[in-house]
């Protein structure tokens, strides 16, 4: 039973040293646990075989690894896989009846006629159950906010992923606002990038945000991961209608902050921009984007709108998106159109929700 036990997944070397000291174990045991967690990905303390049986029993009496397998998955015709992961209760460490969705996106290369998995595989992870931001166009926001994930819950989406060893990139673009759960996000990215953890380059990780005052600056100061900002309109009043978070930190404040940092080397800054027909895809918007981003090394990713219930927003057509892309790029703002993946299993941008999953899925 995991009841009332502390989760080891997500702990740092210093924290594990405190654990083994408190249990009266040799200090080097902390290093052994680290390797079992982040190199060998064990599922139970009993698998840590170079630790004495007596010490494993002592550790297991109060701690648990914290790995939990996904309890459901859906596969898209395009190869995208959406997993449903359980979330632990932060207070007790027990599995709760809350869940998050995680999306695995393999890139496939057809340039040479090969339909196999290519060299890139991205995982879109969640950081909260639901979201407080309530963006008009996002299904997660309609779910409301049900709680933030611990660093262990964030890492578990990677740790227990069946395709873990194929991953090349991670994006914090699933359920929730990363800056609203910044401590846990920073802890998770530390484990992913630290030598004691997964030892990934921070350039393999992108963290998204609508822009949270104070939190965005802290992230930029404390992390070297890429940053992606949800813009969706360069016009403050219109953006406020689409995204209530504009009222707390405007897009002009966000861009002004970003201009204080150097994105001319490996670290990348990008802007996410869902295109709505006749609403934010005009030349007026294009010119304002160019004016707003002048002097900032960045890119813009145009995204197709995926309809959600009870939201009357028309998606821009392909021709209009291509015209917007070309105009922005010609005027110095490198712009791409992001491919939609997993739409048939509601895994595409803005479609993630676990509002009813707790009722439908039983452990």
């Amino acid at each position: 039973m995991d009841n009332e036990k502390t989760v080891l997944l997500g702990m740092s070397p210093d924290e594990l040293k405190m654990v083994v000291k408190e249990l009266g174990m040799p200090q080097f045991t902390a290093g052994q646990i680290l390797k079992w967690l982040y190199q060998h990905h064990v599922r139970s303390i009993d698998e840590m075989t170079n630790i004495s049986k007596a010490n494993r029993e002592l550790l297991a009496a109060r701690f648990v690894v914290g790995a939990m397998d996904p309890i459901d998955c859906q596969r898209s015709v395009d190869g995208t896989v959406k997993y449903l992961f359980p979330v632990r209760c932060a207070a007790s460490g027990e599995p709760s009846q809350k869940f998050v969705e995680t999306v695995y996106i393999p890139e496939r290369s057809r340039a040479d006629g090969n339909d196999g998995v290519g060299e890139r595989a991205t995982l879109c992870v969640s950081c909260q159950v639901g979201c407080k931001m309530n963006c008009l166009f996002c299904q997660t926001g309609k779910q409301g906010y049900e709680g933030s994930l611990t660093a262990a819950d964030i890492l578990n989406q990677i740790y227990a992923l069946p395709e873990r060893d194929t991953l090349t990139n991670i994006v914090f673009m699933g359920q929730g606002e990363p800056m609203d759960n910044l401590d846990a996000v920073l802890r998770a990215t530390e484990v992913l990038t630290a030598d004691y953890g997964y030892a990934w380059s921070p350039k393999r990780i992108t963290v998204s945000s609508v822009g949270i005052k104070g939190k965005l600056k802290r992230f930029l100061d404390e992390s070297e991961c890429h940053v992606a900002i949800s813009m969706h309109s360069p016009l403050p009043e219109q953006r406020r209608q689409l995204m209530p978070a504009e009222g707390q930190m405007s897009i002009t404040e966000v861009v002004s902050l970003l201009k204080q940092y150097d994105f001319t080397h490996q670290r990348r800054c990008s802007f996410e921009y869902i295109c709505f027909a006749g609403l934010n895809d005009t030349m007026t918007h294009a010119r304002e984007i160019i004016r707003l981003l002048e002097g900032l090394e960045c890119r813009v990713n145009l995204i197709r709108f995926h309809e959600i219930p009870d939201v009357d927003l028309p998606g821009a057509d392909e021709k209009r998106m291509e015209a917007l892309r070309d105009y922005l790029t010609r005027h110095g703002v490198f712009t791409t159109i992001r491919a939609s993946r997993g739409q048939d299993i509601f895994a595409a941008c803005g479609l993630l929700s676990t509002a009813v999953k707790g009722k439908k899925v039983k452990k």
Side-chain angles (χ1 to χ4, degrees):
M1 295 291 290
D2 293 351
N3 295 11
E4 305 298 330
K5 292 184 180 181
T6 301
V7 173
L8 294 172
L9 184 60
M11 284 193 178
S12 67
D14 287 344
E15 288 169 329
L16 286 172
K17 286 176 185 176
M18 292 297 295
V19 167
V20 299
K21 181 179 180 180
E22 186 178 337
L23 295 176
M25 298 178 184
Q27 190 174 32
F28 64 79
T29 309
Q32 293 174 316
I33 297 171
L34 272 177
K35 289 183 179 179
W36 285 114
L37 288 174
Y38 303 131
Q39 293 183 24
H40 301 296
H41 300 96
V42 296
R43 311 306 291 271
S44 70
I45 290 169
D46 197 49
E47 294 177 64
M48 301 180 183
T49 52
N50 63 350
I51 299 174
S52 72
K53 183 176 180 182
N55 280 341
R56 292 201 307 268
E57 290 175 351
L58 195 60
L59 191 61
R62 292 177 51 185
F63 295 89
V64 63
V65 168
M68 295 190 294
D69 288 327
I71 57 175
D72 192 23
C73 77
Q74 294 175 272
R75 298 183 182 274
S76 168
V77 293
D78 65 21
T80 299
V81 186
K82 183 172 70 172
Y83 288 104
L84 184 67
F85 278 97
V87 174
R88 288 186 184 271
C89 173
S92 68
E94 298 178 51
S96 68
Q97 281 299 309
K98 294 180 180 179
F99 306 89
V100 289
E101 293 184 324
T102 306
V103 182
Y104 173 75
I105 310 167
E107 297 288 341
R108 297 180 182 275
S109 173
R110 292 183 174 83
D112 59 357
N114 177 17
D115 193 32
V117 176
E119 295 181 356
R120 184 180 175 92
T122 300
L123 188 69
C124 182
V125 302
S126 295
C127 64
Q128 294 179 317
V129 182
C131 185
K132 297 178 185 176
M133 300 301 111
N134 197 27
C135 297
L136 179 62
F137 46 80
C138 181
Q139 187 65 36
T140 306
K142 307 306 174 194
Q143 177 176 343
Y145 172 73
E146 297 183 36
S148 288
L149 272 60
T150 63
D153 283 324
I154 294 172
L155 289 168
N156 184 62
Q157 296 168 71
I158 302 150
Y159 197 94
L161 183 79
E163 299 89 351
R164 180 190 63 233
D165 293 338
T166 70
L167 291 178
T168 60
N169 299 83
I170 291 173
V171 294
F172 283 73
M173 295 181 182
Q175 293 175 264
E177 163 57 50
M179 301 303 148
D180 192 45
N181 189 21
L182 185 55
D183 287 339
V185 168
L186 286 174
R187 169 57 64 89
T189 56
E190 176 190 325
V191 171
L192 290 169
T193 58
D195 289 340
Y196 71 77
Y198 284 57
W200 276 33
S201 165
K203 311 310 180 290
R204 295 170 65 180
I205 303 169
T206 300
V207 180
S208 69
S209 179
V210 300
I212 303 293
K213 192 169 291 187
K215 300 293 185 68
L216 179 58
K217 183 179 190 307
R218 185 181 158 204
F219 170 77
L220 292 167
D221 288 339
E222 297 183 21
S223 173
E224 296 180 2
C225 297
H226 298 318
V227 62
I229 300 297
S230 297
M231 180 192 292
H232 309 305
S233 175
L235 307 177
E237 284 306 313
Q238 184 180 61
R239 187 172 186 261
R240 186 194 298 261
Q241 294 172 6
L242 294 170
M243 306 169 62
E246 167 73 17
Q248 297 182 24
M249 188 177 190
S250 70
I251 190 61
T252 54
E253 289 179 284
V254 170
V255 173
S256 178
L257 174 64
L258 291 168
K259 287 180 179 179
Q260 299 174 31
Y261 295 82
D262 184 5
F263 295 102
T264 61
H265 298 291
Q266 288 186 311
R267 192 180 195 186
R268 189 170 66 236
C269 171
S270 60
F271 291 87
E272 309 298 295
Y273 199 94
I274 296 176
C275 293
F276 304 107
L279 185 67
N280 68 347
D281 63 346
T282 70
M283 284 300 104
T284 297
H285 290 85
R287 288 189 289 270
E288 187 60 22
I289 291 171
I290 293 164
R291 187 201 66 78
L292 179 66
L293 301 183
E294 184 180 3
L296 177 63
E297 184 70 25
C298 64
R299 67 175 61 190
V300 172
N301 296 316
L302 303 181
I303 302 170
R304 296 167 183 83
F305 175 57
H306 304 108
E307 293 184 8
I308 62 174
D310 304 318
V311 174
D312 186 20
L313 287 171
D317 62 28
E318 196 74 15
K319 190 173 182 180
R320 189 67 197 139
M321 292 180 69
E322 290 174 355
L324 185 59
R325 175 198 63 193
D326 295 345
Y327 184 88
L328 290 173
T329 299
R330 281 199 309 271
H331 289 80
V333 179
F334 179 67
T335 303
T336 65
I337 298 175
R338 180 184 292 168
S340 288
R341 299 290 301 273
Q343 189 171 356
D344 57 320
I345 57 170
F346 299 96
C349 183
L351 298 182
L352 299 185
S353 176
T354 52
V356 298
K357 296 294 193 300
K359 299 175 185 177
K360 291 184 176 180
V361 183
K362 300 299 180 183
K363 282 285 288 178

